[in-house]
Amino acid sequence: QVHLVESGGGLVQAGGSLRLSCAASGRSVSAYPMGWFRQAPGKEREFVAGINWSGGNTNYADSVKGRFTLSRDNAKNTVYLEMNSLRPEDTAAYYCAADLRFRNTVSSTTEEYQIWGQGTQVTVSS
């Protein structure tokens, strides 16, 4: 059973940076795609970024392209989301997710991910 734990959220001023981590336990996720999603109050959960098993293929939502960078360290069973030039509209709970299927596709829909973390809150003040 895979368990995902996010960390690194917090309060930051607009223009600032944060680095989120997603540590997996219980089983290695090195062979699987991983993703980050976010959900603001009153809104649906939306895709932020995804990465394939090797880290060689990434996919980003248009709203974060050029500002966020997703990477992974398979030796540490951890995925990282580097967030720069943060904006108030980036405020949300951020969730890490794992797609436990052996494929190279990086999905952007919640239905394609089977395991989810509890989330970490990111608040960007103006």
Side-chain angles (χ1 to χ4, degrees):
Q1 184 77 2
V2 176
H3 184 56
L4 302 176
V5 177
E6 302 95 335
S7 61
L11 174 63
V12 64
Q13 288 188 331
S17 299
L18 283 174
R19 187 194 197 203
L20 305 184
S21 298
C22 172
S25 62
R27 174 181 167 188
S28 173
V29 295
S30 63
Y32 307 112
M34 300 288 290
W36 282 93
F37 291 75
R38 66 187 182 187
Q39 188 167 18
K43 295 188 177 181
E44 292 188 353
R45 192 167 295 190
E46 65 174 4
F47 174 76
V48 175
I51 191 166
N52 76 328
W53 68 274
S54 69
N57 181 24
T58 53
N59 187 16
Y60 296 93
D62 288 342
S63 59
V64 306
K65 277 181 183 176
R67 300 188 298 124
F68 290 12
T69 302
L70 182 55
S71 62
R72 66 190 299 162
D73 185 337
N74 285 337
K76 294 183 178 180
N77 223 20
T78 301
V79 176
Y80 305 98
L81 183 66
E82 186 75 35
M83 306 187 297
N84 298 314
S85 302
L86 283 163
R87 305 167 180 168
E89 53 264 39
D90 293 319
T91 295
Y94 282 70
Y95 298 90
C96 177
D99 175 6
L100 300 183
R101 290 175 288 185
F102 292 108
R103 59 180 192 164
N104 211 34
T105 302
V106 179
S107 298
S108 60
T109 58
T110 57
E111 294 79 8
E112 300 292 335
Y113 293 84
Q114 302 83 37
I115 305 296
W116 293 82
Q118 293 299 306
T120 185
Q121 179 66 34
V122 172
T123 302
V124 184
S125 62
S126 57

